[in-house]
Coordinates of all heavy atoms in Angstrom, one line a residue:
G71 N -18.3 28.3 31.4 CA -17.7 27.2 32.2 C -18.3 25.8 32.0 O -17.6 24.8 32.3
R72 N -19.5 25.8 31.4 CA -20.1 24.4 31.3 C -20.6 24.2 29.8 O -20.2 23.2 29.2 CB -21.3 24.3 32.2 CG -21.9 22.9 32.2 CD -23.2 22.7 32.9 NE -23.2 23.3 34.3 CZ -24.3 23.3 35.1 NH1 -25.4 22.7 34.7 NH2 -24.2 23.8 36.3
A76 N -18.4 21.9 26.7 CA -19.1 20.7 26.3 C -19.4 20.8 24.8 O -19.4 19.8 24.0 CB -20.3 20.4 27.1
E135 N -30.5 26.9 35.9 CA -30.1 25.5 36.0 C -31.3 24.6 35.5 O -31.1 23.7 34.8 CB -29.8 25.2 37.5 CG -29.3 23.7 37.7 CD -27.9 23.5 37.0 OE1 -27.1 24.4 37.1 OE2 -27.8 22.4 36.5
L138 N -31.5 24.8 31.7 CA -30.5 24.0 31.0 C -30.9 22.5 31.1 O -30.6 21.7 30.2 CB -29.1 24.3 31.6 CG -28.0 23.5 31.0 CD1 -27.8 23.8 29.5 CD2 -26.7 23.8 31.7
L142 N -31.1 20.0 28.0 CA -30.3 18.8 27.8 C -31.1 17.6 27.5 O -30.7 16.7 26.7 CB -29.5 18.5 29.1 CG -28.4 19.6 29.5 CD1 -27.8 19.2 30.8 CD2 -27.4 19.7 28.4
P255 N -12.3 23.3 31.5 CA -12.4 21.9 31.0 C -13.9 21.4 31.2 O -14.6 21.8 32.1 CB -11.5 21.1 31.9 CG -11.4 21.9 33.2 CD -11.6 23.3 32.8
P256 N -14.3 20.6 30.3 CA -15.7 20.0 30.4 C -15.8 19.0 31.6 O -14.8 18.4 31.9 CB -15.9 19.3 29.1 CG -14.5 19.0 28.6 CD -13.6 20.1 29.1
S257 N -16.9 18.9 32.2 CA -17.1 18.0 33.3 C -18.5 17.3 33.1 O -19.4 17.8 32.4 CB -17.1 18.7 34.6 OG -18.0 19.8 34.7
V258 N -18.7 16.2 33.7 CA -19.9 15.4 33.5 C -21.0 15.9 34.4 O -20.8 16.3 35.5 CB -19.6 13.9 33.9 CG1 -20.9 13.1 33.8 CG2 -18.5 13.3 33.0
H259 N -22.2 16.1 33.7 CA -23.4 16.7 34.4 C -24.6 15.8 34.2 O -25.7 16.3 33.8 CB -23.6 18.1 34.0 CG -22.6 19.1 34.4 ND1 -22.6 19.7 35.7 CD2 -21.5 19.5 33.8 CE1 -21.5 20.5 35.8 NE2 -20.8 20.4 34.7
I260 N -24.4 14.5 34.3 CA -25.6 13.6 34.1 C -26.7 13.9 35.0 O -27.9 13.7 34.7 CB -25.1 12.1 34.2 CG1 -24.1 11.8 33.1 CG2 -26.3 11.2 34.0 CD1 -23.6 10.4 33.1
D261 N -26.3 14.4 36.2 CA -27.4 14.7 37.2 C -28.3 15.8 36.7 O -29.5 15.7 36.9 CB -26.7 15.1 38.6 CG -25.8 16.3 38.4 OD1 -25.2 16.4 37.3 OD2 -25.6 17.0 39.3
S262 N -27.8 16.8 36.0 CA -28.6 17.8 35.4 C -29.6 17.2 34.4 O -30.8 17.6 34.4 CB -27.8 18.9 34.8 OG -27.0 19.6 35.7
F263 N -29.1 16.3 33.6 CA -29.9 15.7 32.6 C -31.1 14.9 33.3 O -32.2 15.0 32.9 CB -29.1 14.8 31.7 CG -29.9 13.8 30.9 CD1 -30.6 14.2 29.8 CD2 -29.9 12.4 31.3 CE1 -31.3 13.3 29.0 CE2 -30.7 11.5 30.5 CZ -31.4 12.0 29.4
M264 N -30.7 14.1 34.3 CA -31.7 13.3 35.0 C -32.8 14.1 35.7 O -34.0 13.7 35.7 CB -31.0 12.3 36.0 CG -30.0 11.3 35.3 SD -30.8 10.2 34.1 CE -31.9 9.3 35.2
L317 N -22.7 12.5 24.4 CA -21.6 12.9 25.2 C -21.6 14.4 25.6 O -21.4 14.8 26.8 CB -20.2 12.5 24.6 CG -19.0 12.9 25.3 CD1 -18.9 12.2 26.7 CD2 -17.7 12.6 24.5
C319 N -24.2 16.3 25.6 CA -25.3 16.5 26.4 C -25.0 16.2 27.9 O -25.3 16.9 28.8 CB -26.5 15.6 25.9 SG -27.9 15.4 27.0
F320 N -24.4 15.0 28.1 CA -24.0 14.6 29.5 C -23.0 15.5 30.2 O -22.9 15.5 31.4 CB -23.5 13.2 29.5 CG -24.6 12.2 29.2 CD1 -24.3 10.9 28.9 CD2 -25.9 12.5 29.4 CE1 -25.2 9.9 28.6 CE2 -26.9 11.5 29.1 CZ -26.6 10.2 28.8
C321 N -22.3 16.3 29.3 CA -21.3 17.3 29.9 C -21.9 18.7 30.0 O -21.2 19.6 30.4 CB -20.0 17.3 29.1 SG -19.1 15.7 29.2
G322 N -23.1 18.9 29.5 CA -23.8 20.2 29.7 C -24.0 21.0 28.4 O -24.4 22.1 28.5
N323 N -23.9 20.3 27.2 CA -24.2 21.0 26.0 C -25.5 20.6 25.4 O -25.7 19.5 25.1 CB -23.1 20.7 25.0 CG -23.5 21.2 23.6 OD1 -23.8 22.4 23.4 ND2 -23.4 20.3 22.6

Side-chain angles (χ1 to χ4, degrees):
R72 190 190 308 182
E135 187 65 39
L138 181 58
L142 292 178
S257 56
V258 177
H259 292 276
I260 296 180
D261 55 333
S262 294
F263 165 75
M264 297 301 295
L317 177 62
C319 166
F320 287 163
C321 290
N323 169 50

